[in-house]
Amino acid sequence: MVATLLATSFVIFGASYAAPGDPVTFLAGGKENLTPEYLAAIRAQYHLDDPFLVQYARWLGDAVTGDLGRSMQYNDQVFDLMMARLPSTLGLVAYAAVLFVVFGVALGALAAVRGGRTDSAVVAGTTLATSVPSFVTAAVLISLFGVQLGWFPVMGGGSLWHLTLPAVTLALGALAIISRVTRQAMIEQRELDHVTVARASGLAERLIVTRHVFRGALGPIVTMCGLVTAGMLAGTVVVETAFSLNGIGSLLVKAINTHDFPVTQAVMLFMVVAYIVVTTLVELLQPLIDPRVRRPA
């Protein structure tokens, strides 16, 4: 995990360093300030003339201590900007996670147990859901449920009602993934010997599904739920922009458009850290969910 964080932090800083545009021109302000003396003073103040590795080491050391720098656009601490917008993003991701876990697992289990036309309908529906980009889904939901029917607000946050359409947009593609993983894992479990023995012994089908099939399939289901939830932080960029939510994703979009490099670097680093931490926790929980993956002492 530490090695991955170091590698990704290097890539993030290097990408910002190599990005087109000179940050000095944005720090200087108006055109009247673009004098050689003033630009040289800004470069000296922000150590922009230092070698790349020196700048990276200074930035990484500050980031480890919680100092993410100062925003060029807002003239405020980047950490404070992110903390003010983090609850909105976490609320959106949590709401979407509840939706795709509940409905995704339910649809996948239904397809695996029923089979036939039900299986075909679930597979077709999930295939359609994964093929539609999130910005298209957002536009359709806003037009139908926000503008024409007026059931939901289409902009801003503050309540679960405001977050419903964004959460559905964010969860739709994830729901399709989880339903497919659940379906495949349960189908594989149904073909194992212990399930065949349980069925031959006369155990009720409902108990077979809940005690043997679904329980045995929990490992890949939980793993994929964790991976998808972690990846949703990056997916909020499109959704928050479409629904005008003041979260981490929209902050990243504004920072990129205004060449606010400290904010861009900090938000991207946060997304990577969150993804790695969540996936590591899922990996550590895996032996508790499925004792078969435990290594012998």
Side-chain angles (χ1 to χ4, degrees):
M1 183 175 67
V2 174
T4 304
L5 286 174
L6 286 174
T8 52
S9 67
F10 184 83
V11 172
I12 290 171
F13 187 85
S16 300
Y17 185 87
D22 190 351
V24 175
T25 58
F26 300 99
L27 291 170
K31 295 182 179 180
E32 65 278 1
N33 296 327
L34 298 181
T35 62
E37 295 79 9
Y38 189 67
L39 295 179
I42 292 178
R43 287 184 177 277
Q45 178 183 353
Y46 289 92
H47 308 283
L48 296 177
D49 286 328
D50 292 344
F52 168 75
L53 291 179
V54 175
Q55 293 187 44
Y56 167 71
R58 181 181 294 110
W59 172 75
L60 183 62
D62 292 340
V64 169
T65 60
D67 183 7
L68 300 176
R70 197 170 190 87
S71 170
M72 302 176 184
Q73 176 71 16
Y74 299 97
N75 195 27
D76 195 3
Q77 292 294 326
V78 176
F79 182 82
D80 296 335
L81 291 173
M82 292 179 60
M83 289 300 102
R85 290 161 173 78
L86 188 58
S88 176
T89 298
L90 293 181
L92 174 61
V93 171
Y95 194 175
V98 171
L99 293 178
F100 81 72
V101 169
V102 172
F103 291 101
V105 172
L107 286 175
L110 183 66
V113 173
R114 291 289 182 85
R117 293 184 178 180
T118 301
D119 186 18
S120 300
V122 171
V123 171
T126 54
T127 301
L128 177 63
T130 54
S131 64
V132 179
S134 57
F135 66 88
V136 175
T137 303
V140 172
L141 292 180
I142 290 173
S143 175
L144 179 59
F145 296 103
V147 177
Q148 296 184 19
L149 298 177
W151 291 355
F152 298 95
V154 297
M155 297 180 64
S159 67
L160 287 178
W161 199 246
H162 284 79
L163 291 178
T164 298
L165 291 184
V168 171
T169 303
L170 191 61
L172 195 58
L175 182 151
I177 296 173
I178 298 304
S179 66
R180 288 184 176 186
V181 171
T182 303
R183 170 185 174 274
Q184 186 60 35
M186 292 186 65
I187 289 176
E188 292 175 358
Q189 289 294 318
R190 293 184 67 181
E191 298 174 354
L192 297 181
D193 293 339
H194 72 280
V195 176
T196 304
V197 171
R199 186 175 289 111
S201 64
L203 192 64
E205 187 67 22
R206 179 179 59 85
L207 295 178
I208 293 176
V209 171
T210 56
R211 292 183 181 180
H212 297 280
V213 177
F214 183 71
R215 186 176 180 181
L218 270 181
I221 294 173
V222 173
T223 299
M224 186 55 64
C225 287
L227 293 175
V228 172
T229 302
M232 273 188 171
L233 285 171
T236 59
V237 172
V238 175
V239 175
E240 288 181 355
T241 302
F243 289 93
S244 299
L245 296 176
N246 196 20
I248 294 292
S250 59
L251 178 64
L252 177 61
V253 173
K254 294 175 183 177
I256 293 174
N257 291 335
T258 58
H259 298 269
D260 196 344
F261 296 115
V263 175
T264 303
Q265 293 168 345
V267 174
M268 292 178 66
L269 183 63
F270 166 76
M271 290 181 174
V272 171
V273 169
Y275 184 86
I276 293 176
V277 169
V278 172
T279 53
T280 302
L281 290 176
V282 170
E283 195 73 22
L284 294 175
L285 289 173
Q286 191 72 3
L288 301 178
I289 300 170
D290 188 356
R292 293 171 299 177
V293 303
R294 294 177 183 173
R295 294 181 179 180

